[in-house]
Amino acid sequence: MEALRQATGSIEAFLGVGSSTALVLTWLVILLSVYVSLQLFQVFSGNALGRSRRSRGNVTLMLGQCGSGKTATFFRLRDGEEVQTVSSLQLQRDSFPIKAGENPDQQLSSVEVIDFPGHLRMRGKANDMLPEARCIIYLVDSDDKPKLKDVAEHFYELLTNRDMLELHTPILIACNKSDLSTARSEKFIVEEIEREIEQMRVSRGATLEGQDQADSYLGIDGEKFKLMEHSPCTIQTCKISAKKNEIQPVYDFLIEQYSA
Amino acid sequence: MRTTITTCCWSGWQRSKLGSDLFAIFCRNSVLAIPQLLNRRSFASLQTSKRQTRKRMIDAFYIFTKGGLLLWSTQLVKVKGNPIDRLIKEVLLEERVGETFATLDSYNLKWKLLNEMDLFFVVVYQGILQMAYLEGLLSMAAKEFNHHIANFGSGLTIKHVDFDQDFLRCRQKADKELKESRRPGGMRSFADTKKGADVQKNREEKGLPAPAKKGKSGGADGDKDEDDEEDDAAKVAEARAKLTKAKGKKDGNSKEKDAEASKPKKGKEARHWDGGKVSKSLMQELDFSKNKPDEADLAAKQAEFLGSGDDEDFDAEVESLSSGSEAEEEKKDDGRVGGLFKSLTRGVKNITGGAVLTEEDLEPILKKFKTELMTRNVAAEVADKLSESVRRSLVGKTTGRFTSMASTVKQALKESMETLLTPKKSIDVLRAALAAKNAGRVYTIVFLGVNGVGKSTNLAKVAYYLKHKGGLDVLICACDTFRAGAVEQLKTHSRCLDVPLFERGYGKDPAEIAKNAIAHAKSNGHDVVLVDTAGRMQDNEPLMRALAKLVAINSPDLVLFVGEALVGNDAIDQVTKFNRSLVDLSADPRNPRGIDGMLLTKYDTVDDKVGAALSMVYVTGQPVVFVGTGQKYTHLRKMQAKEVVKTLLG
């Protein structure tokens, strides 16, 4: 208080203004200095500790190609029933409890899940939602081999995405439609994706004017690309079938992500 | 005796022959008649079945949400393929929601979007149906469905709705309405129409007598004639009176006209053909020079033709035409106080959010955005359709918290434009070329476009990109055999790039040259063939046919339409016509080849008027693969959708 009165007096004398104005000015100066110091502190603390100031959101993002079963799995997760679906035109988001088993620590009270359309045209919007995601469930149609090319391309884009590189969001590759007889195994799908990405490293690495080469590089130069080892995010795989209600691995993944 | 017998036999045989002939004829006719009888019976059954099919006019009906949930569907006839899937991927996601009608394969689809609930109602049918019937059916179904789910609550809780009974009711109602509308009605008379009513009203206001109505069911003919005559005369007199009314014409003239008008119809007068002396009276009678046009007459004639400028009938007509606008103005005057309050609430809600968007709100905002887009060189038609699509998707929605209506519209426009400009399939040319190389094929790219857009220059840029960044072996094929110096230009490029050139000089058939080039590449181990074609106008039929032949014969992997960024409204015409020519004359009609992608050139010459990209993408649905930004080989890049949208919307 003494210091305050002194400061007010000095400002009054210096500027030749009334006492009340001087008081207001003093307070303003104090607030300003506090604000500036806080900013500096934040900057320095961030740099010193070396961790990213940004943190992941709290949402589970369901991505995948058109027809891989995202909407069907969404409704299975939520209500446990089978639904008829058509291609989604816009996203669906809802919060609901997850029950993986009878054990109380195998249950979550509320998990927010977003089911995003798989159409390529919505890809830009999907990329905008990546910072919000706590984890990603990527559904793959195990039956559709030609589509794996597009899956690999999407993966390449995800793994070179700036937000993903910063946040290291874990991805679960869920090979859907495993109840079909022509469904491929997880190992096959992962190998196929790796092979396609290997090819893409050449084509994507060849950047045109205006693009940064470092931005689009994946893996280690000279070595063959391995999905599990070289990707910036932790990737797990599993086999599910939304039709037959065999989605236990998804529950386990979610429990693991949200309890951590 | 024998002769008798013979004759008897003979006659008997003749008769029997005759009889047999007759019998044969009878048999033949009956046999021929059987299919006719059967046909008639089957024709009758066909009629009934036709009647039945006519009842079952639509093929299928679907109700689904925007999020992808199929709430209800019915298939009255088995539907081949998956038209709904194609509808979503090819139409609804292409921002063509506003068109509400599409044809895919053999099916026609008409849909209705309920914005408040994010629901789509789609009816699938074949052949031709009345639009009014379909619209009625869709709106009735929408209303019924609304009632139905109002009980269930909202959101994602409903997954399947049992709508069968209600839908049957809707269909029956729609069918009934259709039948009633088909019944022919009587023709209205002029007085029953709106315009006639307006004219009548104006007449009454001005105090003019109503025109004498000619009775439709007249009496005896003779009476009718007399009435007609009197009516005609009265009408003429009336008209003349009006003509000469205001400007103070001489009474004598009007009287003269009245006298003329009221005189009964003169019969033909007999001519006097006297050979001898003509009497004075007769001379006077025959001297028509007496009736010289004098001043009074001249003035009368002028009045007759020029009019007094005060023709009430004419004014009444003109007023009835403009009465529409007058009525509007009156309405505005009446609701001024109420409108003020409404506008105040709207203004407040504009800031705080929570306003329900209506057509009147969206109209001025969208108009402003449309003109802004058009100043940025987006084609007028495309800007129109885009704003229509955004309008349809926003009507009935509520604005978010603290977002004004303008910003909501801007956000919706931005999203739809970004969606449009994001490619719907992979446009990684290098990757496709590498894949083809691995498969042992030759990857062919054809460059086509109108004159002077920069095909040869950008072909060289793509060759540089593929060779130096992809390490591929490129062969350039000079199929521009028309323009002077085209082959020399490509020779220069090939020397600079150190890339082989396949050329056969001028005047040859381009399709042949291309075929030979691809064969040459295959045998010599080249990976990619870039084919340069001559520029041509999209309206030039024979040249378009030649181009389509080139594409059909060689079936290239990528058909790139080269367009310049400077083009304005002509962009959509160019792209549509090129696409159509290629599709119409493609080799496999079931799998038509159109334009696969676009190359936008001279991008550096437009600063912010980058709208040509949007127009071309909207019209074809194909992505922009490359963008040429200068004269050097390195001035080639990929289009960034977000950047273009930011430039367009400011």
Side-chain angles (χ1 to χ4, degrees):
Chain A
M1 289 316 290
E2 269 301 316
L4 194 67
R5 237 173 289 137
Q6 273 182 359
T8 323
S10 59
I11 287 180
E12 212 176 310
F14 187 65
L15 291 175
V17 291
S19 61
S20 54
T21 329
L23 194 63
V24 168
L25 280 172
T26 333
W27 274 114
L28 270 175
V29 167
I30 292 171
L31 283 169
L32 210 64
S33 46
V34 165
Y35 176 70
V36 167
S37 54
L38 271 175
Q39 285 288 349
L40 288 169
F41 178 69
Q42 199 178 35
V43 166
F44 283 133
S45 72
N47 279 349
L49 290 178
R51 65 147 193 267
S52 69
R53 272 175 293 142
R54 286 167 59 192
S55 61
R56 284 185 241 150
N58 220 12
V59 158
T60 303
L61 203 53
M62 284 181 64
L63 300 173
Q65 297 298 312
C66 263
S68 54
K70 299 177 288 300
T71 312
T73 316
F74 177 78
F75 281 101
R76 272 281 187 216
L77 274 177
R78 200 180 78 146
D79 306 315
E81 31 180 283
E82 184 181 349
V83 290
Q84 301 272 340
T85 58
V86 292
S87 294
S88 308
L89 279 159
Q90 71 182 28
L91 61 86
Q92 298 191 80
R93 73 195 295 171
D94 205 9
S95 305
F96 45 86
I98 298 281
K99 196 165 168 203
E102 291 313 318
N103 215 333
D105 56 290
Q106 277 183 325
Q107 295 180 14
L108 289 168
S109 58
S110 162
V111 170
E112 191 175 0
V113 181
I114 299 182
D115 160 34
F116 211 88
H119 199 93
L120 270 159
R121 287 213 190 263
M122 315 285 270
R123 194 57 64 79
K125 281 191 236 169
N127 290 340
D128 289 336
M129 302 214 80
L130 286 175
E132 265 188 65
R134 190 191 179 105
C135 58
I136 296 179
I137 302 178
Y138 196 95
L139 281 129
V140 177
D141 187 348
S142 322
D143 193 23
D144 202 344
K145 187 170 179 298
K147 269 266 172 70
L148 287 176
K149 264 194 160 74
D150 303 321
V151 171
E153 192 164 338
H154 194 188
F155 255 92
Y156 195 98
E157 280 172 27
L158 277 177
L159 298 176
T160 50
N161 186 295
R162 205 164 292 191
D163 296 322
M164 295 289 286
L165 289 172
E166 260 188 42
L167 302 170
H168 304 286
T169 325
I171 306 178
L172 170 74
I173 301 182
C175 305
N176 199 6
K177 307 195 189 175
S178 56
D179 52 297
L180 292 172
S181 56
T182 47
R184 317 294 162 110
S185 65
E186 296 165 51
K187 189 154 133 347
F188 179 84
I189 290 174
V190 170
E191 274 175 12
E192 190 69 26
I193 295 178
E194 284 174 352
R195 190 151 22 121
E196 289 292 331
I197 292 187
E198 184 65 39
Q199 281 193 354
M200 283 177 69
R201 279 166 71 182
V202 179
S203 67
R204 287 301 174 105
T207 48
L208 296 160
E209 171 192 301
Q211 284 174 297
D212 193 1
Q213 187 143 30
D215 250 358
S216 5
Y217 207 73
L218 196 59
I220 301 174
D221 203 2
E223 274 183 36
K224 204 161 176 303
F225 180 75
K226 286 265 171 235
L227 194 63
M228 305 302 197
E229 298 151 19
H230 297 161
S231 80
C233 326
T234 45
I235 298 188
Q236 304 174 26
T237 60
C238 69
K239 228 181 184 163
I240 63 167
S241 165
K243 201 164 185 179
K244 299 271 193 255
N245 205 4
E246 292 160 11
I247 51 172
Q248 190 60 31
V250 177
Y251 286 134
D252 295 333
F253 176 74
L254 286 173
I255 303 276
E256 184 191 322
Q257 291 304 316
Y258 279 84
S259 338
Chain B
M1 176 85 162
R2 202 184 283 159
T3 49
T4 336
I5 297 171
T6 0
T7 34
C8 279
C9 290
W10 177 248
S11 56
W13 181 65
Q14 288 278 29
R15 271 193 212 109
S16 70
K17 190 161 167 275
L18 190 63
S20 67
D21 281 342
L22 285 172
F23 185 64
I25 292 170
F26 171 70
C27 283
R28 195 189 66 155
N29 282 345
S30 53
V31 163
L32 282 177
I34 287 172
Q36 275 186 23
L37 286 171
L38 285 174
N39 275 344
R40 218 172 284 134
R41 232 177 283 134
S42 65
F43 189 62
S45 65
L46 195 65
Q47 280 282 49
T48 49
S49 71
K50 235 197 237 172
R51 245 178 273 129
Q52 278 169 2
T53 50
R54 220 181 289 149
K55 242 192 190 172
R56 238 181 27 219
M57 284 192 264
I58 64 175
D59 277 16
F61 196 90
Y62 298 88
I63 304 179
F64 55 90
T65 67
K66 266 193 184 170
L69 201 53
L70 184 65
L71 289 174
W72 182 77
S73 75
T74 175
Q75 285 191 11
L76 300 159
V77 182
K78 180 105 173 57
V79 173
K80 280 192 295 266
N82 199 347
I84 293 294
D85 206 39
R86 280 195 60 188
L87 175 74
I88 294 177
K89 292 207 178 112
E90 292 177 21
V91 182
L92 299 178
L93 272 170
E94 305 279 319
E95 301 298 321
R96 287 172 206 262
V97 180
E99 289 171 21
T100 70
F101 177 78
T103 308
L104 294 169
D105 289 335
S106 51
Y107 290 110
N108 299 328
L109 297 106
K110 189 156 167 65
W111 64 88
K112 183 181 166 70
L113 168 63
L114 264 189
N115 260 320
E116 306 87 38
M117 333 238 14
D118 279 342
L119 285 176
F120 270 98
F121 295 84
V122 183
V123 59
V124 182
Y125 62 97
Q126 284 179 326
I128 304 173
L129 282 180
Q130 273 193 354
M131 278 298 143
Y133 169 74
L134 291 169
E135 278 168 25
L137 181 64
L138 281 170
S139 31
M140 267 190 282
K143 247 190 296 185
E144 282 285 340
F145 200 77
N146 245 333
H147 290 314
H148 216 100
I149 58 179
N151 316 333
F152 281 82
S154 68
L156 304 165
T157 49
I158 330 142
K159 279 175 232 77
H160 185 85
V161 180
D162 188 14
F163 196 55
D164 293 329
Q165 292 305 317
D166 299 307
F167 185 66
L168 201 62
R169 264 212 314 271
C170 289
R171 259 185 57 219
Q172 284 166 350
K173 243 196 291 181
D175 285 340
K176 206 165 56 177
E177 269 179 28
L178 183 66
K179 256 190 238 150
E180 278 171 24
S181 70
R182 282 226 184 111
R183 218 178 294 133
M187 287 264 300
R188 301 178 290 180
S189 70
F190 181 68
D192 292 336
T193 61
K194 182 172 174 292
K195 189 156 179 266
D198 288 333
V199 171
Q200 184 68 18
K201 195 170 70 173
N202 280 319
R203 267 187 204 275
E204 282 170 9
E205 280 173 16
K206 299 272 176 176
L208 299 169
K213 277 210 188 84
K214 283 195 193 165
K216 269 193 204 163
S217 51
D221 273 282
D223 287 341
K224 204 164 162 215
D225 280 338
E226 273 177 38
D227 283 337
D228 278 353
E229 282 176 32
E230 281 175 25
D231 274 345
D232 278 341
K235 264 203 200 146
V236 166
E238 195 189 305
R240 287 227 175 88
K242 273 188 237 133
L243 278 173
T244 59
K245 201 168 141 190
K247 290 288 177 167
K249 296 289 172 271
K250 285 202 184 151
D251 282 338
N253 289 331
S254 57
K255 263 204 217 134
E256 191 181 296
K257 288 198 172 47
D258 283 340
E260 270 186 46
S262 53
K263 223 191 307 178
K265 214 170 168 183
K266 262 185 347 191
K268 247 188 150 170
E269 279 187 358
R271 269 277 205 190
H272 297 280
W273 294 108
D274 289 353
K277 219 159 172 258
V278 185
S279 66
K280 192 147 196 253
S281 61
L282 197 56
M283 259 210 0
Q284 275 191 358
E285 213 177 308
L286 287 172
D287 183 13
F288 291 113
S289 66
K290 257 274 187 69
N291 303 339
K292 272 194 284 282
D294 54 355
E295 288 307 310
D297 243 357
L298 181 61
K301 283 282 181 215
Q302 273 184 337
E304 186 182 318
F305 285 110
L306 294 173
S308 55
D310 207 39
D311 192 357
E312 261 111 13
D313 229 351
F314 184 62
D315 281 348
E317 290 274 305
V318 171
E319 269 187 44
S320 73
L321 284 171
S322 57
S323 64
S325 53
E326 269 182 20
E328 274 177 27
E329 285 177 37
E330 284 173 11
K331 256 191 259 168
K332 274 191 205 145
D333 276 327
D334 285 336
R336 195 177 296 181
V337 176
L340 196 65
F341 187 65
K342 228 197 271 186
S343 63
L344 269 176
T345 36
R346 277 248 173 273
V348 171
K349 279 226 172 125
N350 208 13
I351 304 172
T352 54
V356 176
L357 291 165
T358 59
E359 301 259 349
E360 305 107 43
D361 300 322
L362 293 173
E363 195 58 45
I365 304 175
L366 277 172
K367 204 157 155 186
K368 187 169 74 85
F369 277 116
K370 204 162 51 163
T371 36
E372 205 179 294
L373 282 178
M374 288 205 275
T375 56
R376 303 269 162 85
N377 208 18
V378 177
E381 200 183 301
V382 170
D384 218 3
K385 285 205 194 143
L386 200 58
S387 47
E388 172 71 26
S389 162
V390 168
R391 185 178 67 84
R392 260 185 208 266
S393 70
L394 280 181
V395 168
K397 284 226 151 58
T398 36
T399 52
R401 236 175 313 169
F402 289 113
T403 39
S404 68
M405 285 188 234
S407 55
T408 318
V409 173
K410 186 169 177 179
Q411 182 65 23
L413 251 180
K414 187 160 95 78
E415 275 179 16
S416 69
M417 283 181 3
E418 264 177 29
T419 311
L420 265 178
L421 288 170
T422 314
K424 68 178 179 195
K425 55 177 199 269
S426 164
I427 51 166
D428 201 344
V429 176
L430 190 51
R431 179 166 172 227
L434 285 169
K437 179 180 174 175
N438 289 340
R441 289 187 294 112
V442 174
Y443 193 75
T444 354
I445 309 180
V446 173
F447 292 78
L448 41 91
V450 300
N451 313 67
V453 291
K455 288 185 289 300
S456 309
T457 319
N458 285 279
L459 183 146
K461 288 184 200 169
V462 174
Y464 177 80
Y465 167 65
L466 290 174
K467 177 168 172 168
H468 287 259
K469 302 291 178 120
L472 292 166
D473 198 339
V474 182
L475 174 74
I476 303 180
C477 170
C479 286
D480 184 352
T481 54
F482 177 70
R483 204 193 79 204
V487 179
E488 275 72 28
Q489 181 184 16
L490 285 176
K491 269 203 190 117
T492 317
H493 280 308
S494 90
R495 262 209 309 274
C496 285
L497 291 166
D498 193 18
V499 159
L501 171 70
F502 186 91
E503 54 98 356
R504 288 283 174 269
Y506 295 95
K508 306 280 189 339
D509 179 24
E512 270 301 308
I513 300 178
K515 198 157 76 156
N516 293 340
I518 295 175
H520 175 92
K522 214 175 277 193
S523 57
N524 286 41
H526 296 290
D527 303 319
V528 182
V529 176
L530 301 177
V531 178
D532 184 26
T533 60
R536 60 204 72 207
M537 288 301 290
Q538 67 266 23
D539 296 320
N540 196 328
E541 267 286 339
L543 290 182
M544 295 307 295
R545 243 180 285 131
L547 184 65
K549 189 177 94 169
L550 189 152
V551 171
I553 288 178
N554 298 298
S555 44
D557 296 285
L558 191 64
V559 176
L560 276 182
F561 175 81
V562 183
E564 52 185 12
L566 299 157
V567 72
N569 287 322
D570 199 34
I572 40 180
D573 195 49
Q574 283 177 15
V575 179
T576 334
K577 292 222 172 100
F578 267 88
N579 206 10
R580 198 150 22 121
S581 313
L582 288 180
V583 162
D584 285 344
L585 299 161
S586 64
D588 185 5
R590 273 163 303 146
N591 205 1
R593 269 316 276 291
I595 297 175
D596 294 325
M598 288 176 290
L599 206 161
L600 207 56
T601 63
K602 308 182 189 166
Y603 204 69
D604 51 323
T605 56
V606 295
D607 301 316
D608 59 341
K609 299 194 180 354
V610 296
L614 188 65
S615 326
M616 297 208 282
V617 166
Y618 186 88
V619 168
T620 50
Q622 306 294 346
V624 173
V625 179
F626 289 119
V627 173
T629 52
Q631 293 288 341
K632 303 209 187 312
Y633 291 142
T634 48
H635 292 164
L636 185 75
R637 60 185 177 86
K638 303 219 168 119
M639 192 177 76
Q640 305 293 334
K642 290 205 202 269
E643 178 194 319
V644 174
V645 172
K646 202 157 64 171
T647 321
L648 280 176
L649 279 180

